[in-house]
Amino acid sequence: MRTFITVIVFSLIALNLFGQARRPTIMVVPSDQYCISRGYKMEFESMGRTQTLPDYKAAMQNDADLRLVITKMGEIMADRGFPLKDLEMELRNMEREAAETAMIASSSGAQVAETPIDILKRTAQADIILDLSFDILKQGPHRYITFNLRGLDAYTSKQVSGAAGAGKPSSAASPELLLEEAVLSHMDGFNAGLMRHFDDMFANGREVSVMVRVWEDWYDGDLETYYYYDGVEMELLEHIEDWFFDNTVEGRFSLADASHTMMRLEQVRIPMMTVDRRGRERAVDTRGFVSDLRRHLRQNFDIDSRIYMRGLGEAWLIVGER
Amino acid sequence: MKKTRVLMFFLLFLFVWVELGCSGARHSRSDRRAHYRSEQNYEVEITGVGQDGTKTMKIWGYGRNVEDAILQAKMNAVAAVIFRGVPGGHGAAATPAILRDPNAIDKHADYFESFFEPDGTFLRFLNLTTDGMPSGQDRLRMNNPRGYKVAIYAQVLYDNLRRQLEADGIARRLDHGF
């Protein structure tokens, strides 16, 4: 009896430990408009055209107003259970990581393997980007703030929450006080929007995109080659579509485009949680979801493939070889 | 003479018909009383951006006397931010309701019954900014039904209230499920 009770207690503890979805990371990033209009920008020539990109590092180092707003927002979000990922620290960390990667060497003198793609993908990432811009404007002797905050889901680039508006003009209050007021005024409404997004995620799954492509030297066939599986002979493309129907939340996905060399699947709703081979409940991410498809193709169709992640919410599965 | 009498009868008939027609649209006294006593009849206006975690507002209450009306206004201030939210204004953005479920008041009826007792927990989340009894345009005497409609300026401790409802399992935390 005692053993039975012990097993029950440990099972409950285990469920508590593992049975939770992955907490989204949130980071405030000043909008391109904010950075470029204030001169925090980098310009370079590319294919004969001048490109302008925001210089986040310069913005964080020089703009006291921006730091004030981010600090206030961070304080509010931490109270709501979502400490913000700090952009400035993240940029500093990436610089250090690049330097350390170049310095580390094994006892035989070998360096850490890093492909050009790894270097290209070394960017600050978060599940939800809070795209922020604000202005301190004047109306006669009065000053007022216009505030624009957009919550962008990095997986789908969709806006999941937003808060925008102008504050009350004042001639007495300092700009710092007006900025603080703007944050206090808008954050409750913004968080209500985030709550709606999270509720939708738990009810209908996380929305991601998946692209299936083919290596050009795959001689065994393409996505329109017929394969026999589960008692039915169909094109590989149709077998893959069936797999998505079986593994998405309520079969929700849309095949936006398809040919013999590619399938573009959008609005793929992947479950938040799954039970792995050892019976543990685990959070699902895009890569984990597409890994299951890769395993399915390997085990049932004898097709190798490789996963390539494009950002947090988009994965490519390139079939034909690893 | 006969024409004048016919015209007078016609006008009298028209007057009675119009009166009867209009009185059908009026609310009875009991209807009005029920409206005033309704738990969700919040007449509320935000008065500015509150300090950290608070909301400042002007809110009305009804009562047989001024004291009753003030008590109802206090309850309304807390109830408005829990169940309905407060529209924006005076430079402040709209305040969302803490409970998004429209049936929350019925689901947790027992909890809110004790929460909104005259000396209940709701008083912990309210600071009054009105000094003394409301007067002038903030204190209206009504004849039918007899009583008062008064406005108070209140500061609701929004964040503390939200935390309390989350701790009591009535509201969900933003990170619920993660």
Side-chain angles (χ1 to χ4, degrees):
Chain A
M1 186 64 188
R2 191 181 290 173
T3 319
F4 177 71
I5 291 170
T6 314
V7 167
I8 293 284
V9 168
F10 274 101
S11 304
L12 286 174
I13 292 170
L15 268 179
N16 261 340
L17 284 177
F18 298 115
Q20 289 193 316
R22 194 174 67 82
R23 184 182 297 256
T25 51
I26 302 180
M27 182 161 64
V28 185
V29 177
S31 72
D32 289 10
Q33 176 270 332
Y34 183 89
C35 292
I36 293 168
S37 66
R38 284 163 177 76
Y40 308 127
K41 59 184 177 182
M42 297 180 286
E43 285 181 343
F44 60 91
E45 294 283 327
S46 168
M47 317 260 289
R49 293 175 62 188
T50 307
Q51 286 211 357
T52 309
L53 287 177
D55 186 349
Y56 298 125
K57 193 177 169 190
M60 298 304 293
Q61 283 175 343
N62 299 300
D63 195 326
D65 290 341
L66 178 65
R67 292 175 66 88
L68 175 85
V69 170
I70 292 179
T71 305
K72 197 72 205 168
M73 286 170 66
E75 199 181 296
I76 292 170
M77 293 306 293
D79 180 51
R80 304 298 298 266
F82 285 95
L84 296 179
K85 212 171 177 180
D86 188 69
L87 176 63
E88 195 176 6
M89 288 304 293
E90 194 71 6
L91 292 172
R92 207 175 294 165
N93 192 33
M94 280 187 325
E95 275 177 10
R96 230 174 33 213
E97 186 187 311
E100 283 169 16
T101 306
M103 298 294 285
I104 293 174
S106 71
S107 53
S108 65
Q111 290 205 316
V112 176
E114 195 173 37
T115 65
I117 289 288
D118 292 338
I119 297 165
L120 190 70
K121 288 167 93 173
R122 200 188 287 141
T123 54
Q125 289 187 336
D127 295 314
I128 293 172
I129 301 285
L130 305 191
D131 182 79
L132 168 75
S133 65
F134 57 85
D135 264 313
I136 304 169
L137 301 175
K138 276 196 159 186
Q139 189 182 47
H142 302 290
R143 270 192 291 249
Y144 68 100
I145 303 285
T146 57
F147 189 82
N148 191 347
L149 180 64
R150 298 188 305 153
L152 303 171
D153 183 11
Y155 286 65
T156 57
S157 304
K158 286 183 181 172
Q159 182 176 327
V160 294
S161 183
K168 195 177 177 182
S170 168
S171 56
S174 63
E176 292 77 20
L177 194 66
L178 291 175
L179 279 172
E180 193 182 342
E181 259 191 17
V183 176
L184 288 173
S185 171
H186 288 101
M187 284 308 282
D188 287 320
F190 182 82
N191 281 334
L194 270 189
M195 185 81 148
R196 275 194 296 277
H197 173 61
F198 294 153
D199 285 350
D200 175 64
M201 266 174 30
F202 279 109
N204 303 313
R206 193 189 291 270
E207 191 179 323
V208 301
S209 303
V210 179
M211 179 92 114
V212 181
R213 309 193 78 163
V214 175
W215 291 113
E216 65 172 3
D217 57 353
W218 183 34
Y219 297 115
D220 291 347
D222 54 35
L223 295 176
E224 289 180 351
T225 306
Y226 280 85
Y227 280 85
Y228 194 80
Y229 170 67
D230 207 15
V232 193
E233 191 178 31
M234 290 192 300
E235 290 177 359
L236 179 61
L237 190 145
E238 291 171 303
H239 284 301
I240 292 175
E241 222 181 322
D242 269 1
W243 184 90
F244 272 92
F245 193 78
D246 293 339
N247 289 279
T248 48
V249 177
E250 292 177 12
R252 288 185 188 191
F253 70 95
S254 65
L255 182 60
D257 200 3
S259 70
H260 67 289
T261 54
M262 68 92 172
M263 291 173 77
R264 188 196 306 277
L265 298 121
E266 291 177 352
Q267 298 178 65
V268 180
R269 293 288 195 148
I270 64 173
M272 298 290 283
M273 305 296 299
T274 189
V275 178
D276 69 5
R277 279 163 294 162
R278 294 183 191 172
R280 294 175 301 185
E281 203 172 33
R282 296 179 69 160
V284 180
D285 57 12
T286 322
R287 189 181 176 86
F289 179 77
V290 176
S291 290
D292 286 348
L293 173 59
R294 177 166 70 168
R295 205 168 297 120
H296 172 68
L297 293 178
R298 176 85 196 101
Q299 286 171 356
N300 301 305
F301 299 88
D302 200 24
I303 298 173
D304 278 324
S305 50
R306 175 181 285 183
I307 296 173
Y308 174 73
M309 291 301 297
R310 277 197 75 225
L312 291 165
E314 187 178 344
W316 287 3
L317 186 72
I318 310 171
V319 299
E321 59 183 86
R322 288 181 68 83
Chain B
M1 187 65 188
K2 195 180 175 186
K3 272 188 181 172
T4 316
R5 194 175 294 164
V6 170
L7 189 67
M8 276 179 64
F9 271 118
F10 176 73
L11 286 173
L12 186 69
F13 170 75
L14 196 68
F15 176 74
V16 170
W17 182 73
V18 167
E19 268 299 288
L20 282 174
C22 288
S23 67
R26 282 183 188 161
H27 297 287
S28 68
R29 188 176 169 183
S30 60
D31 279 350
R32 281 199 296 276
R33 189 176 294 154
H35 172 71
Y36 296 149
R37 290 183 176 173
S38 164
E39 285 169 353
Q40 300 191 37
N41 174 31
Y42 316 127
E43 292 175 47
V44 59
E45 179 190 2
I46 206 120
T47 53
V49 181
Q51 290 296 308
D52 273 7
T54 67
K55 304 288 171 191
T56 57
M57 62 189 77
K58 178 183 184 180
I59 183 130
W60 293 85
Y62 295 89
R64 193 177 285 269
N65 51 48
V66 175
E67 288 78 10
D68 282 356
I70 290 176
L71 180 65
Q72 203 207 35
K74 287 180 185 175
M75 288 179 186
N76 283 350
V78 177
V81 295
I82 294 177
F83 301 116
R84 203 183 67 180
V86 184
H90 294 96
T95 302
I98 294 175
L99 300 182
R100 285 181 53 213
D101 182 358
N103 302 316
I105 196 164
D106 299 321
K107 266 189 194 166
H108 307 287
D110 291 342
Y111 177 86
F112 286 117
E113 203 158 300
S114 70
F115 188 86
F116 283 113
E117 276 179 1
D119 57 349
T121 320
F122 80 95
L123 288 168
R124 280 172 38 200
F125 306 104
L126 196 71
N127 283 337
L128 283 191
T129 53
T130 306
D131 293 326
M133 283 294 194
S135 59
Q137 287 194 333
D138 292 343
R139 174 178 167 155
L140 306 176
R141 191 179 179 136
M142 300 180 303
N143 286 328
N144 193 11
R146 285 195 180 282
Y148 286 89
K149 175 182 179 180
V150 301
I152 59 168
Y153 293 83
Q155 184 187 40
V156 177
L157 309 181
Y158 186 82
D159 281 5
N160 290 3
L161 177 60
R162 180 177 49 74
R163 282 189 210 112
Q164 179 73 56
L165 293 175
E166 285 171 356
D168 294 343
I170 307 296
R172 276 185 303 126
R173 283 179 60 86
L174 185 62
D175 61 350
H176 173 84
F178 292 113

mmCIF file of all heavy atoms in Angstrom, chain B residues 132-168:
data_model
loop_
_atom_site.group_PDB
_atom_site.id
_atom_site.type_symbol
_atom_site.label_atom_id
_atom_site.label_comp_id
_atom_site.label_asym_id
_atom_site.label_seq_id
_atom_site.Cartn_x
_atom_site.Cartn_y
_atom_site.Cartn_z
ATOM 1 N N GLY B 132 -14.864 64.098 1.917
ATOM 2 C CA GLY B 132 -16.189 64.424 2.445
ATOM 3 C C GLY B 132 -17.307 63.913 1.558
ATOM 4 O O GLY B 132 -17.093 63.113 0.650
ATOM 5 N N MET B 133 -18.509 64.409 1.852
ATOM 6 C CA MET B 133 -19.701 63.967 1.114
ATOM 7 C C MET B 133 -19.715 64.592 -0.284
ATOM 8 O O MET B 133 -19.386 65.774 -0.423
ATOM 9 C CB MET B 133 -20.955 64.420 1.854
ATOM 10 C CG MET B 133 -21.258 63.582 3.058
ATOM 11 S SD MET B 133 -21.668 61.923 2.529
ATOM 12 C CE MET B 133 -22.371 61.307 4.034
ATOM 13 N N PRO B 134 -20.121 63.838 -1.306
ATOM 14 C CA PRO B 134 -20.242 64.428 -2.631
ATOM 15 C C PRO B 134 -21.273 65.554 -2.613
ATOM 16 O O PRO B 134 -22.272 65.467 -1.911
ATOM 17 C CB PRO B 134 -20.735 63.269 -3.493
ATOM 18 C CG PRO B 134 -20.452 62.042 -2.719
ATOM 19 C CD PRO B 134 -20.476 62.410 -1.293
ATOM 20 N N SER B 135 -21.005 66.596 -3.372
ATOM 21 C CA SER B 135 -21.942 67.712 -3.410
ATOM 22 C C SER B 135 -22.061 68.244 -4.833
ATOM 23 O O SER B 135 -21.367 67.766 -5.740
ATOM 24 C CB SER B 135 -21.457 68.831 -2.485
ATOM 25 O OG SER B 135 -20.180 69.239 -2.917
ATOM 26 N N GLY B 136 -22.939 69.217 -5.022
ATOM 27 C CA GLY B 136 -23.129 69.829 -6.334
ATOM 28 C C GLY B 136 -23.611 68.824 -7.357
ATOM 29 O O GLY B 136 -24.525 68.040 -7.077
ATOM 30 N N GLN B 137 -22.952 68.807 -8.517
ATOM 31 C CA GLN B 137 -23.404 67.919 -9.595
ATOM 32 C C GLN B 137 -23.091 66.451 -9.332
ATOM 33 O O GLN B 137 -23.545 65.575 -10.065
ATOM 34 C CB GLN B 137 -22.742 68.334 -10.906
ATOM 35 C CG GLN B 137 -23.315 69.625 -11.452
ATOM 36 C CD GLN B 137 -22.901 69.848 -12.876
ATOM 37 O OE1 GLN B 137 -21.847 69.361 -13.297
ATOM 38 N NE2 GLN B 137 -23.702 70.588 -13.621
ATOM 39 N N ASP B 138 -22.293 66.184 -8.305
ATOM 40 C CA ASP B 138 -21.970 64.799 -7.964
ATOM 41 C C ASP B 138 -22.972 64.208 -6.984
ATOM 42 O O ASP B 138 -22.792 63.090 -6.491
ATOM 43 C CB ASP B 138 -20.560 64.712 -7.360
ATOM 44 C CG ASP B 138 -19.494 65.032 -8.388
ATOM 45 O OD1 ASP B 138 -19.823 64.993 -9.589
ATOM 46 O OD2 ASP B 138 -18.360 65.346 -7.987
ATOM 47 N N ARG B 139 -24.005 64.987 -6.652
ATOM 48 C CA ARG B 139 -24.998 64.489 -5.695
ATOM 49 C C ARG B 139 -26.383 64.901 -6.198
ATOM 50 O O ARG B 139 -26.792 66.046 -6.065
ATOM 51 C CB ARG B 139 -24.714 65.118 -4.331
ATOM 52 C CG ARG B 139 -25.737 64.801 -3.270
ATOM 53 C CD ARG B 139 -25.277 65.463 -2.011
ATOM 54 N NE ARG B 139 -26.303 65.486 -1.009
ATOM 55 C CZ ARG B 139 -26.025 65.554 0.274
ATOM 56 N NH1 ARG B 139 -24.788 65.614 0.698
ATOM 57 N NH2 ARG B 139 -26.999 65.592 1.142
ATOM 58 N N LEU B 140 -27.064 63.954 -6.823
ATOM 59 C CA LEU B 140 -28.360 64.259 -7.442
ATOM 60 C C LEU B 140 -29.475 63.603 -6.648
ATOM 61 O O LEU B 140 -29.394 62.420 -6.294
ATOM 62 C CB LEU B 140 -28.390 63.742 -8.883
ATOM 63 C CG LEU B 140 -27.246 64.208 -9.795
ATOM 64 C CD1 LEU B 140 -27.350 63.550 -11.158
ATOM 65 C CD2 LEU B 140 -27.255 65.726 -9.938
ATOM 66 N N ARG B 141 -30.516 64.402 -6.379
ATOM 67 C CA ARG B 141 -31.649 63.859 -5.650
ATOM 68 C C ARG B 141 -32.684 63.379 -6.675
ATOM 69 O O ARG B 141 -32.985 64.075 -7.622
ATOM 70 C CB ARG B 141 -32.244 64.938 -4.766
ATOM 71 C CG ARG B 141 -33.231 64.373 -3.792
ATOM 72 C CD ARG B 141 -33.781 65.432 -2.910
ATOM 73 N NE ARG B 141 -34.728 64.815 -2.018
ATOM 74 C CZ ARG B 141 -34.797 65.069 -0.750
ATOM 75 N NH1 ARG B 141 -33.961 65.917 -0.217
ATOM 76 N NH2 ARG B 141 -35.699 64.465 0.002
ATOM 77 N N MET B 142 -33.196 62.184 -6.458
ATOM 78 C CA MET B 142 -34.180 61.647 -7.402
ATOM 79 C C MET B 142 -35.533 61.557 -6.715
ATOM 80 O O MET B 142 -35.608 61.314 -5.501
ATOM 81 C CB MET B 142 -33.755 60.255 -7.858
ATOM 82 C CG MET B 142 -32.408 60.238 -8.553
ATOM 83 S SD MET B 142 -31.968 58.585 -9.074
ATOM 84 C CE MET B 142 -32.026 57.701 -7.543
ATOM 85 N N ASN B 143 -36.597 61.740 -7.503
ATOM 86 C CA ASN B 143 -37.944 61.688 -6.938
ATOM 87 C C ASN B 143 -38.636 60.359 -7.165
ATOM 88 O O ASN B 143 -39.446 59.934 -6.365
ATOM 89 C CB ASN B 143 -38.797 62.807 -7.550
ATOM 90 C CG ASN B 143 -38.389 64.153 -6.976
ATOM 91 O OD1 ASN B 143 -37.977 64.231 -5.815
ATOM 92 N ND2 ASN B 143 -38.466 65.196 -7.781
ATOM 93 N N ASN B 144 -38.347 59.735 -8.268
ATOM 94 C CA ASN B 144 -39.114 58.540 -8.606
ATOM 95 C C ASN B 144 -38.188 57.462 -9.145
ATOM 96 O O ASN B 144 -37.841 57.497 -10.305
ATOM 97 C CB ASN B 144 -40.150 58.918 -9.664
ATOM 98 C CG ASN B 144 -41.188 57.841 -9.833
ATOM 99 O OD1 ASN B 144 -41.244 56.915 -9.034
ATOM 100 N ND2 ASN B 144 -42.006 57.973 -10.868
ATOM 101 N N PRO B 145 -37.725 56.505 -8.338
ATOM 102 C CA PRO B 145 -37.998 56.340 -6.909
ATOM 103 C C PRO B 145 -37.198 57.349 -6.086
ATOM 104 O O PRO B 145 -36.180 57.850 -6.562
ATOM 105 C CB PRO B 145 -37.518 54.920 -6.654
ATOM 106 C CG PRO B 145 -36.443 54.702 -7.646
ATOM 107 C CD PRO B 145 -36.815 55.489 -8.850
ATOM 108 N N ARG B 146 -37.606 57.543 -4.863
ATOM 109 C CA ARG B 146 -36.914 58.521 -4.008
ATOM 110 C C ARG B 146 -35.521 57.994 -3.656
ATOM 111 O O ARG B 146 -35.360 56.813 -3.371
ATOM 112 C CB ARG B 146 -37.702 58.748 -2.713
ATOM 113 C CG ARG B 146 -38.929 59.590 -2.934
ATOM 114 C CD ARG B 146 -39.486 60.096 -1.631
ATOM 115 N NE ARG B 146 -40.669 60.892 -1.883
ATOM 116 C CZ ARG B 146 -40.640 62.142 -2.316
ATOM 117 N NH1 ARG B 146 -39.478 62.731 -2.541
ATOM 118 N NH2 ARG B 146 -41.757 62.802 -2.535
ATOM 119 N N GLY B 147 -34.543 58.842 -3.698
ATOM 120 C CA GLY B 147 -33.193 58.410 -3.352
ATOM 121 C C GLY B 147 -32.153 59.359 -3.912
ATOM 122 O O GLY B 147 -32.479 60.483 -4.327
ATOM 123 N N TYR B 148 -30.921 58.906 -3.908
ATOM 124 C CA TYR B 148 -29.813 59.743 -4.368
ATOM 125 C C TYR B 148 -28.966 59.005 -5.400
ATOM 126 O O TYR B 148 -28.840 57.776 -5.349
ATOM 127 C CB TYR B 148 -28.915 60.120 -3.184
ATOM 128 C CG TYR B 148 -29.528 61.153 -2.285
ATOM 129 C CD1 TYR B 148 -30.334 60.778 -1.217
ATOM 130 C CD2 TYR B 148 -29.319 62.512 -2.520
ATOM 131 C CE1 TYR B 148 -30.906 61.713 -0.387
ATOM 132 C CE2 TYR B 148 -29.893 63.459 -1.705
ATOM 133 C CZ TYR B 148 -30.682 63.060 -0.637
ATOM 134 O OH TYR B 148 -31.262 64.001 0.170
ATOM 135 N N LYS B 149 -28.435 59.795 -6.293
ATOM 136 C CA LYS B 149 -27.438 59.283 -7.236
ATOM 137 C C LYS B 149 -26.185 60.110 -6.979
ATOM 138 O O LYS B 149 -26.225 61.337 -7.131
ATOM 139 C CB LYS B 149 -27.934 59.474 -8.669
ATOM 140 C CG LYS B 149 -26.925 59.082 -9.737
ATOM 141 C CD LYS B 149 -27.468 59.346 -11.135
ATOM 142 C CE LYS B 149 -26.424 58.958 -12.169
ATOM 143 N NZ LYS B 149 -26.867 59.191 -13.541
ATOM 144 N N VAL B 150 -25.095 59.462 -6.557
ATOM 145 C CA VAL B 150 -23.898 60.240 -6.230
ATOM 146 C C VAL B 150 -22.682 59.700 -6.983
ATOM 147 O O VAL B 150 -22.634 58.520 -7.343
ATOM 148 C CB VAL B 150 -23.577 60.241 -4.710
ATOM 149 C CG1 VAL B 150 -24.706 60.815 -3.901
ATOM 150 C CG2 VAL B 150 -23.197 58.870 -4.232
ATOM 151 N N ALA B 151 -21.744 60.587 -7.227
ATOM 152 C CA ALA B 151 -20.498 60.184 -7.894
ATOM 153 C C ALA B 151 -19.344 60.318 -6.904
ATOM 154 O O ALA B 151 -19.301 61.273 -6.123
ATOM 155 C CB ALA B 151 -20.240 61.073 -9.098
ATOM 156 N N ILE B 152 -18.441 59.354 -6.930
ATOM 157 C CA ILE B 152 -17.225 59.467 -6.120
ATOM 158 C C ILE B 152 -16.013 59.318 -7.043
ATOM 159 O O ILE B 152 -16.117 58.741 -8.129
ATOM 160 C CB ILE B 152 -17.157 58.407 -4.995
ATOM 161 C CG1 ILE B 152 -17.214 56.995 -5.588
ATOM 162 C CG2 ILE B 152 -18.244 58.635 -3.962
ATOM 163 C CD1 ILE B 152 -16.864 55.913 -4.583
ATOM 164 N N TYR B 153 -14.906 59.847 -6.595
ATOM 165 C CA TYR B 153 -13.641 59.688 -7.325
ATOM 166 C C TYR B 153 -12.850 58.618 -6.594
ATOM 167 O O TYR B 153 -12.559 58.771 -5.403
ATOM 168 C CB TYR B 153 -12.888 61.016 -7.381
ATOM 169 C CG TYR B 153 -13.628 62.026 -8.218
ATOM 170 C CD1 TYR B 153 -14.670 62.780 -7.682
ATOM 171 C CD2 TYR B 153 -13.325 62.188 -9.562
ATOM 172 C CE1 TYR B 153 -15.384 63.676 -8.450
ATOM 173 C CE2 TYR B 153 -14.031 63.086 -10.349
ATOM 174 C CZ TYR B 153 -15.058 63.827 -9.785
ATOM 175 O OH TYR B 153 -15.766 64.697 -10.566
ATOM 176 N N ALA B 154 -12.572 57.519 -7.298
ATOM 177 C CA ALA B 154 -11.970 56.368 -6.614
ATOM 178 C C ALA B 154 -10.677 55.952 -7.301
ATOM 179 O O ALA B 154 -10.507 56.140 -8.513
ATOM 180 C CB ALA B 154 -12.950 55.214 -6.617
ATOM 181 N N GLN B 155 -9.787 55.412 -6.505
ATOM 182 C CA GLN B 155 -8.556 54.822 -7.045
ATOM 183 C C GLN B 155 -8.626 53.328 -6.735
ATOM 184 O O GLN B 155 -8.651 52.941 -5.560
ATOM 185 C CB GLN B 155 -7.344 55.446 -6.358
ATOM 186 C CG GLN B 155 -6.026 54.962 -6.926
ATOM 187 C CD GLN B 155 -4.844 55.464 -6.123
ATOM 188 O OE1 GLN B 155 -4.896 55.507 -4.898
ATOM 189 N NE2 GLN B 155 -3.783 55.846 -6.802
ATOM 190 N N VAL B 156 -8.714 52.502 -7.790
ATOM 191 C CA VAL B 156 -8.787 51.054 -7.589
ATOM 192 C C VAL B 156 -7.373 50.481 -7.708
ATOM 193 O O VAL B 156 -6.661 50.780 -8.676
ATOM 194 C CB VAL B 156 -9.717 50.398 -8.637
ATOM 195 C CG1 VAL B 156 -9.724 48.894 -8.477
ATOM 196 C CG2 VAL B 156 -11.124 50.947 -8.514
ATOM 197 N N LEU B 157 -6.986 49.678 -6.733
ATOM 198 C CA LEU B 157 -5.647 49.052 -6.764
ATOM 199 C C LEU B 157 -5.717 47.832 -7.689
ATOM 200 O O LEU B 157 -5.903 46.700 -7.263
ATOM 201 C CB LEU B 157 -5.215 48.656 -5.352
ATOM 202 C CG LEU B 157 -5.318 49.761 -4.294
ATOM 203 C CD1 LEU B 157 -4.850 49.257 -2.940
ATOM 204 C CD2 LEU B 157 -4.504 50.978 -4.715
ATOM 205 N N TYR B 158 -5.616 48.120 -8.978
ATOM 206 C CA TYR B 158 -5.893 47.142 -10.043
ATOM 207 C C TYR B 158 -4.965 45.924 -9.960
ATOM 208 O O TYR B 158 -5.425 44.783 -10.000
ATOM 209 C CB TYR B 158 -5.734 47.853 -11.386
ATOM 210 C CG TYR B 158 -6.109 47.043 -12.593
ATOM 211 C CD1 TYR B 158 -7.434 46.920 -12.988
ATOM 212 C CD2 TYR B 158 -5.137 46.414 -13.370
ATOM 213 C CE1 TYR B 158 -7.782 46.203 -14.121
ATOM 214 C CE2 TYR B 158 -5.474 45.690 -14.492
ATOM 215 C CZ TYR B 158 -6.796 45.590 -14.866
ATOM 216 O OH TYR B 158 -7.134 44.868 -15.988
ATOM 217 N N ASP B 159 -3.672 46.167 -9.848
ATOM 218 C CA ASP B 159 -2.720 45.041 -9.834
ATOM 219 C C ASP B 159 -2.918 44.169 -8.602
ATOM 220 O O ASP B 159 -2.850 42.938 -8.680
ATOM 221 C CB ASP B 159 -1.278 45.556 -9.906
ATOM 222 C CG ASP B 159 -0.886 45.938 -11.329
ATOM 223 O OD1 ASP B 159 -1.771 45.895 -12.209
ATOM 224 O OD2 ASP B 159 0.289 46.285 -11.564
ATOM 225 N N ASN B 160 -3.143 44.812 -7.447
ATOM 226 C CA ASN B 160 -3.364 44.029 -6.221
ATOM 227 C C ASN B 160 -4.634 43.188 -6.347
ATOM 228 O O ASN B 160 -4.666 42.025 -5.935
ATOM 229 C CB ASN B 160 -3.500 44.953 -5.011
ATOM 230 C CG ASN B 160 -2.189 45.613 -4.661
ATOM 231 O OD1 ASN B 160 -1.195 45.416 -5.350
ATOM 232 N ND2 ASN B 160 -2.177 46.405 -3.606
ATOM 233 N N LEU B 161 -5.664 43.789 -6.932
ATOM 234 C CA LEU B 161 -6.937 43.084 -7.109
ATOM 235 C C LEU B 161 -6.747 41.884 -8.039
ATOM 236 O O LEU B 161 -7.233 40.776 -7.762
ATOM 237 C CB LEU B 161 -7.957 44.077 -7.686
ATOM 238 C CG LEU B 161 -9.348 43.549 -8.030
ATOM 239 C CD1 LEU B 161 -10.031 42.976 -6.804
ATOM 240 C CD2 LEU B 161 -10.207 44.670 -8.611
ATOM 241 N N ARG B 162 -6.025 42.108 -9.144
ATOM 242 C CA ARG B 162 -5.773 41.014 -10.096
ATOM 243 C C ARG B 162 -5.003 39.879 -9.424
ATOM 244 O O ARG B 162 -5.375 38.704 -9.549
ATOM 245 C CB ARG B 162 -4.981 41.561 -11.296
ATOM 246 C CG ARG B 162 -4.646 40.536 -12.348
ATOM 247 C CD ARG B 162 -3.929 41.147 -13.529
ATOM 248 N NE ARG B 162 -2.811 41.989 -13.167
ATOM 249 C CZ ARG B 162 -1.637 41.559 -12.732
ATOM 250 N NH1 ARG B 162 -1.430 40.262 -12.583
ATOM 251 N NH2 ARG B 162 -0.680 42.394 -12.427
ATOM 252 N N ARG B 163 -3.972 40.255 -8.641
ATOM 253 C CA ARG B 163 -3.168 39.229 -7.958
ATOM 254 C C ARG B 163 -4.025 38.430 -6.981
ATOM 255 O O ARG B 163 -3.886 37.213 -6.861
ATOM 256 C CB ARG B 163 -1.996 39.869 -7.226
ATOM 257 C CG ARG B 163 -0.866 40.230 -8.168
ATOM 258 C CD ARG B 163 0.368 40.667 -7.398
ATOM 259 N NE ARG B 163 1.120 41.627 -8.182
ATOM 260 C CZ ARG B 163 1.264 42.904 -7.871
ATOM 261 N NH1 ARG B 163 0.732 43.382 -6.763
ATOM 262 N NH2 ARG B 163 1.947 43.712 -8.655
ATOM 263 N N GLN B 164 -4.913 39.125 -6.260
ATOM 264 C CA GLN B 164 -5.781 38.451 -5.285
ATOM 265 C C GLN B 164 -6.695 37.452 -6.001
ATOM 266 O O GLN B 164 -6.835 36.305 -5.567
ATOM 267 C CB GLN B 164 -6.624 39.499 -4.542
ATOM 268 C CG GLN B 164 -7.578 38.917 -3.508
ATOM 269 C CD GLN B 164 -6.850 38.425 -2.272
ATOM 270 O OE1 GLN B 164 -6.129 39.175 -1.642
ATOM 271 N NE2 GLN B 164 -7.033 37.162 -1.938
ATOM 272 N N LEU B 165 -7.300 37.890 -7.115
ATOM 273 C CA LEU B 165 -8.216 36.994 -7.843
ATOM 274 C C LEU B 165 -7.450 35.814 -8.450
ATOM 275 O O LEU B 165 -7.979 34.710 -8.529
ATOM 276 C CB LEU B 165 -8.960 37.764 -8.937
ATOM 277 C CG LEU B 165 -9.955 38.815 -8.431
ATOM 278 C CD1 LEU B 165 -10.555 39.611 -9.583
ATOM 279 C CD2 LEU B 165 -11.075 38.173 -7.625
ATOM 280 N N GLU B 166 -6.196 36.059 -8.854
ATOM 281 C CA GLU B 166 -5.380 34.950 -9.378
ATOM 282 C C GLU B 166 -5.047 33.972 -8.265
ATOM 283 O O GLU B 166 -5.141 32.760 -8.433
ATOM 284 C CB GLU B 166 -4.091 35.501 -9.992
ATOM 285 C CG GLU B 166 -4.298 36.165 -11.347
ATOM 286 C CD GLU B 166 -3.078 36.916 -11.872
ATOM 287 O OE1 GLU B 166 -2.057 36.995 -11.135
ATOM 288 O OE2 GLU B 166 -3.147 37.444 -12.987
ATOM 289 N N ALA B 167 -4.687 34.512 -7.101
ATOM 290 C CA ALA B 167 -4.332 33.646 -5.967
ATOM 291 C C ALA B 167 -5.537 32.836 -5.498
ATOM 292 O O ALA B 167 -5.383 31.691 -5.059
ATOM 293 C CB ALA B 167 -3.790 34.503 -4.819
ATOM 294 N N ASP B 168 -6.735 33.411 -5.606
ATOM 295 C CA ASP B 168 -7.947 32.698 -5.178
ATOM 296 C C ASP B 168 -8.487 31.763 -6.252
ATOM 297 O O ASP B 168 -9.536 31.141 -6.066
ATOM 298 C CB ASP B 168 -9.042 33.712 -4.784
ATOM 299 C CG ASP B 168 -8.653 34.505 -3.541
ATOM 300 O OD1 ASP B 168 -7.726 34.059 -2.833
ATOM 301 O OD2 ASP B 168 -9.260 35.557 -3.276
#
